Amino acid sequence: MAEILTPYDTGERAEPALWQRSRAEVLQVMRHGEAEDIGNVDFDDDEGTTVATVHVSRDPDGGHTVHVIPHTDTIRLDLHTER
């Protein structure tokens, strides 16, 4: 039987990787007020190179902002707004 490859296996999608890999690391960040490091997700390519870092923050008016920090020269954003 042929193995079914996922989009992560083929490189079609970047692999998500959490910044803090353990509960101890998360607690350390939270104790020291490093809010910019909480909730970030790195997306890596097949070679393990980070393509982008993404997180969502709440705005003062109650809305939300998605932050995308590119780590490569070419990044395109495709916003899906259908509900």
Side-chain angles (χ1 to χ4, degrees):
M1 175 188 277
E3 181 182 356
I4 297 172
L5 298 176
T6 70
Y8 301 115
D9 296 327
T10 63
E12 182 181 342
R13 282 205 170 173
E15 184 92 27
L18 292 174
W19 279 27
Q20 289 87 26
R21 304 194 185 279
S22 70
R23 185 175 189 280
E25 287 178 289
V26 171
L27 291 173
Q28 181 71 14
V29 169
M30 291 175 79
R31 281 191 197 106
H32 291 39
E34 299 168 14
E36 67 275 359
D37 285 348
I38 297 172
N40 289 321
V41 177
D42 281 343
F43 289 88
D44 300 344
D45 63 15
D46 341 354
E47 289 85 35
T49 303
T50 301
V51 175
T53 302
V54 179
H55 73 273
V56 178
S57 66
R58 185 178 297 267
D59 302 329
D61 66 359
H64 295 86
T65 300
V66 176
H67 303 267
V68 178
I69 301 121
H71 300 288
T72 64
D73 291 335
T74 3
I75 285 272
R76 285 180 292 282
L77 295 176
D78 186 4
L79 181 62
H80 299 261
T81 58
E82 298 120 14
R83 291 181 182 212

